[in-house]
Amino acid sequence: MRLPLALLTLAALGAAGGGAGREEARAGRFSTPEQQRCRWELRPAAGASELRLSCRAAGGGAARSCAYRGQPRTCPAYGARSHQYWRQILSLLRRRLHPCAPGAPLSARLCGPGRAPPEAQLRLLPDPGPAMTAPTPEPTKDPAETYCAERWHSLCSFFVGFWEG
């Protein structure tokens, strides 16, 4: 099963084209071991490269989006073997249970430690907040439990109940 996925990724990267000195927007799909279906898109950013992901659980549910950014061009081997670099990065993401979860920076074997500066690694960008995903309604909690110490719950509950009428 891994062979068809690898061939599909190779075909997508090959079809996207692009020379060694020029980076074009590329996109594709993959699945994780937890059966999340992910879409990825590679975009050039100001002096860097940005890999955007959007993953959804196989049974549906809310999509989770994230982005990784780094400067792979600082790696000496990247210029001649950029396709291999991105294949290795996507392979790392494909093996993660949750690709958008915080973790270690992504580093291709081609540009691993000692072979390239740390800027060549792709780092997860901070979550921009609720603008990317729809907020999920949280169960209503007793305000006394939220704002008062445990030993004051009964007194807080009395005042909260009095205040709410």
Side-chain angles (χ1 to χ4, degrees):
M1 178 160 165
R2 289 187 179 247
L3 184 60
L5 287 174
L7 290 175
L8 181 63
T9 303
L10 284 173
L13 287 173
R22 192 176 90 213
E23 207 173 272
E24 297 178 0
R26 304 178 200 157
R29 298 177 185 186
F30 65 89
S31 294
T32 67
E34 291 284 319
Q35 299 305 315
Q36 290 186 28
R37 306 220 184 272
C38 299
R39 291 175 171 249
W40 61 270
E41 182 179 11
L42 177 62
R43 292 185 175 181
S49 295
E50 188 170 290
L51 182 66
R52 294 186 181 195
L53 295 175
S54 176
C55 298
R56 183 179 300 272
R64 181 150 185 204
S65 298
C66 61
Y68 288 86
R69 185 177 290 164
Q71 299 173 352
R73 291 179 189 212
T74 59
C75 172
Y78 179 81
R81 299 161 72 184
S82 63
H83 286 333
Q84 184 178 2
Y85 176 90
W86 291 112
R87 280 195 309 262
Q88 290 175 3
I89 293 293
L90 289 170
S91 176
L92 289 172
L93 285 171
R94 190 178 305 119
R95 283 183 265 154
R96 285 190 173 182
L97 297 179
H98 303 285
C100 286
L106 299 174
S107 178
R109 289 183 311 275
L110 181 69
C111 298
R115 297 182 190 162
E119 296 85 34
Q121 296 178 341
L122 297 178
R123 299 185 189 284
L124 185 64
L125 295 176
D127 188 16
M132 283 184 84
T133 59
T136 57
E138 294 185 18
T140 306
K141 294 171 72 174
D142 182 19
E145 291 178 14
T146 305
Y147 298 107
C148 299
E150 188 173 336
R151 64 183 178 170
W152 297 101
H153 279 190
S154 61
L155 185 61
C156 282
S157 293
F158 171 76
F159 283 114
V160 168
F162 181 76
W163 183 261
E164 291 179 347

